[in-house]
Amino acid sequence: MPYMIDRRRLLGAMTCLALMPAFSFAEDKTPATGSTPKTIAEQLADYVAATQYSALPPDIVERVKAHFIDAMGCAIGAINQPQVQQVRSVALAAMPGGVSTLIGTTHKTSMDLASFANGAAVRYFDLNDSYAGKEVGHPSDNITPCLAVAEAQKCSGQDLILAIALAYEIDCQLLDTVQISARGWDHPNFSLPAAALAAGKLMRLSTHQLTEAVNLSFAGHMAMNQTRLQVLSNWKGLADAEAGRNAVFAVQLARAGLTGPAPAFEGNAGFFKQISGPFTLDTELFGGRAGTFKIAECQVKPYPAQALLQTAIVAAARVGKAIPDTASVKSIVIATTRAGHQYSAESPDKFAPKTRETADHSLPYIVVRAMLDHEIKDSSYSDEALQDPRLVALLKKLTVEEDDVLTKMSPQRLPTRVTVTLEDGRVITEQVDDLPGFGGKPLDRRGTEEKFFRSVNGVWSQKQSQAFFDVAWQLDQQRDLSHLLRLMIVKA
């Protein structure tokens, strides 16, 4: 009997199989609305793959050129700084004789190490551009990975311009979308996909490979916000350069056919769960589609200090000029935005900075130094300046307050108000809301060049700078980057 039962079951199964053609196992015709939505990495890859140079309006091409020139000025100006030289020596020792040039030299190394070393130079003085959204970041930190890859791949100036515009777009869109610093993470995490996708565009990766480049860039490279808290170290100026290095390496892996953990954003232990919390991006609103490219909203900084402190420098300098004697100061009150307080005055270290990196991110220090000197420059962070007895005395009379009215003006503006009360009862107040070069008020070519001259002063002559301008302003006409890079060599 057990045998007969099994036989009947077998015959029944065979009958079902025989009837199968009567049931449709054809391709699913379910409408696309029922399909699995694309991940954020896939959406970003689609956007980058589809966007061509023709999507860039003339004013955006001009903005890219201006920000590229500004970043190169920052890099050339810092080329002889010990920290920049140390990073360069590491890059050359690890990979001498590569495919990508170390800015200002004839030396070459690998794409990723050139990106890192050049990024360290661009960022050193904290003078390169910035963008303020829910997070404040430095989109120009993504220029050096684009430059290193574009040179190695023998890309044209137009290729480089498009890659830079895309890197800015993705970085700024992410900076607009979510604040991760409050959860203990640093903004260079947004540079990982931005630089990876831009570099991937230059390497002409497929959409699938671009997606994997994002996945691989996130795989093991998350930056902690301790970089910007308490006593700041050399790493403050290297964190975004490291993001670019990792992004370029991730793109090389993706081009070779390797895959990364996915979905990078939405996964069970992905970016949302570990770092940011959930958010959405609508790439249809990005530049080249329904939106304006975000590079148009970036700020070019006139002073070597954190972006949030730029207006404070001008306000403090004006107050300082109106005070006959700083010894007559009874109290100093700085009114700033929530972000200004959080990033620049949140700990005792900001009221008694011991390092350059802490000082150029310290609202109290910057205000007092600008009151005393009526400006901020590289020497504002020397050991002598940090230990100035006049500065130490004034810092003890200073308080910082968050002003809701100022907070509501940000991030479109980054306002600061400095109020000084003198011993005789007089009150001097200056409020500065924004500056030329901030979003919506871009510098013209003359303004861009004037800042460049200040940045490279003592390193390049005006004649060399002008020769560089003649080619850089025509970047879209360059068939490759070799001539431009030769013009950037720093002569002994």
Side-chain angles (χ1 to χ4, degrees):
M1 181 65 74
Y3 170 78
M4 291 299 295
I5 292 173
D6 289 344
R7 186 181 179 193
R8 290 191 187 109
R9 287 177 177 170
L10 179 61
L11 288 171
M14 291 174 66
T15 302
C16 289
L17 287 170
L19 291 174
M20 270 187 175
F23 300 94
S24 176
F25 281 83
E27 183 180 350
D28 187 7
K29 301 296 183 181
T30 304
T33 53
S35 61
T36 303
K38 289 189 174 182
T39 66
I40 286 180
E42 290 170 333
Q43 293 174 55
L44 292 173
D46 285 345
Y47 167 71
V48 168
T51 305
Q52 302 303 315
Y53 182 82
S54 58
L56 302 179
D59 64 314
I60 296 301
V61 172
E62 180 76 1
R63 286 296 91 221
V64 173
K65 293 177 187 177
H67 285 261
F68 174 78
I69 289 170
D70 183 64
M72 294 303 100
C74 294
I76 293 298
I79 194 167
N80 293 321
Q81 297 301 316
Q83 180 180 315
V84 174
Q85 293 182 331
Q86 289 161 1
V87 172
R88 190 184 304 124
S89 67
V90 170
L92 288 174
M95 179 62 71
V99 291
S100 298
T101 299
L102 296 177
I103 291 172
T105 78
T106 58
H107 302 302
K108 292 188 177 184
T109 184
S110 63
M111 289 188 293
D112 59 328
L113 289 173
S115 172
F116 179 65
N118 292 338
V122 169
R123 187 75 175 83
Y124 177 78
F125 283 124
D126 211 335
L127 190 55
N128 59 318
D129 68 23
S130 62
Y131 180 82
K134 290 185 177 179
E135 284 287 356
V136 179
H138 298 270
S140 52
D141 287 332
N142 295 301
I143 288 177
T144 57
C146 292
L147 180 61
V149 173
E151 179 191 7
Q153 300 298 309
K154 303 187 185 308
C155 295
S156 70
Q158 289 189 2
D159 293 332
L160 176 60
I161 288 170
L162 175 59
I164 291 172
L166 291 171
Y168 270 72
E169 186 69 12
I170 293 164
D171 196 7
C172 294
Q173 291 284 355
L174 289 168
L175 290 166
D176 266 345
T177 299
V178 62
Q179 184 187 45
I180 59 174
S181 58
R183 298 167 68 108
W185 299 98
D186 199 9
H187 66 77
N189 290 319
F190 294 143
S191 294
L192 290 167
L197 288 163
K201 183 74 169 179
L202 289 164
M203 290 189 194
R204 294 173 170 75
L205 267 57
S206 68
T207 305
H208 171 71
Q209 289 172 316
L210 288 170
T211 303
E212 292 303 337
V214 175
N215 296 339
L216 287 161
S217 74
F218 274 170
H221 310 302
M222 294 295 105
M224 298 186 300
N225 201 45
Q226 186 60 35
T227 297
R228 303 182 199 283
L229 299 177
Q230 297 175 281
V231 176
L232 275 59
S233 68
N234 294 156
W235 191 252
K236 182 206 74 177
L238 300 176
D240 232 330
E242 173 69 355
R245 184 184 77 87
N246 285 320
V248 172
F249 185 60
V251 173
Q252 292 175 280
L253 295 177
R255 182 172 61 176
L258 296 170
T259 61
F265 286 92
E266 304 89 346
N268 291 340
F271 196 85
F272 287 174
K273 289 287 180 67
Q274 304 295 332
I275 294 173
S276 67
F279 61 81
T280 59
L281 284 177
D282 187 353
T283 55
E284 291 303 315
L285 301 178
F286 281 24
R289 294 183 174 177
T292 301
F293 283 93
K294 284 288 185 179
I295 193 170
E297 300 174 28
C298 292
Q299 296 110 16
V300 173
K301 297 194 294 184
Y303 302 104
Q306 185 192 49
L308 295 165
L309 308 182
Q310 300 295 304
T311 54
I313 293 168
V314 177
R318 291 175 183 171
V319 169
K321 291 175 182 178
I323 296 172
D325 181 6
T326 55
S328 66
V329 172
K330 181 179 181 180
S331 67
I332 305 170
V333 178
I334 307 171
T336 185
T337 63
R338 180 176 298 114
H341 189 276
Q342 175 185 352
Y343 289 112
S344 310
E346 88 295 341
S347 70
D349 306 281
K350 296 297 195 297
F351 288 81
K354 299 294 190 297
T355 67
R356 174 200 172 92
E357 291 84 358
T358 307
D360 70 19
H361 272 48
S362 164
L363 179 56
Y365 179 87
I366 286 292
V367 164
V368 173
R369 192 75 265 166
M371 283 176 56
L372 292 168
D373 301 340
H374 309 156
E375 65 177 346
I376 292 293
K377 53 186 179 179
D378 182 43
S379 60
S380 301
Y381 308 115
S382 66
D383 290 341
E384 181 181 4
L386 290 170
Q387 298 163 15
D388 184 346
R390 299 173 302 159
L391 177 134
V392 174
L394 287 172
L395 283 173
K396 294 176 180 178
K397 301 177 181 181
L398 184 147
T399 57
V400 179
E401 300 175 350
E402 179 189 331
D403 187 313
D404 290 339
V405 174
L406 301 185
T407 296
K408 289 176 182 177
M409 295 170 64
S410 65
Q412 291 75 21
R413 294 180 173 184
L414 302 175
T416 311
R417 184 171 62 252
V418 178
T419 301
V420 170
T421 302
L422 302 179
E423 293 290 355
D424 62 10
R426 283 187 297 155
V427 176
I428 302 171
T429 299
E430 287 285 348
Q431 178 172 321
V432 177
D433 296 336
D434 58 12
L435 299 170
F438 279 36
K441 297 194 300 183
L443 296 178
D444 59 13
R445 286 194 175 187
R446 180 178 178 180
T448 299
E449 292 179 4
E450 286 176 349
K451 182 193 169 182
F452 187 95
F453 287 134
R454 295 195 303 271
S455 298
V456 305
N457 184 38
V459 181
W460 272 11
S461 66
Q462 287 213 356
K463 182 179 179 180
Q464 184 171 5
S465 297
Q466 191 58 59
F468 171 73
F469 295 150
D470 291 343
V471 176
W473 286 122
Q474 298 297 319
L475 183 59
D476 52 326
Q477 303 302 315
Q478 306 306 308
R479 299 177 66 176
D480 62 42
L481 304 174
S482 57
H483 180 47
L484 181 69
L485 290 164
R486 284 196 298 272
L487 289 173
M488 295 172 65
I489 296 172
V490 175
K491 299 173 183 177

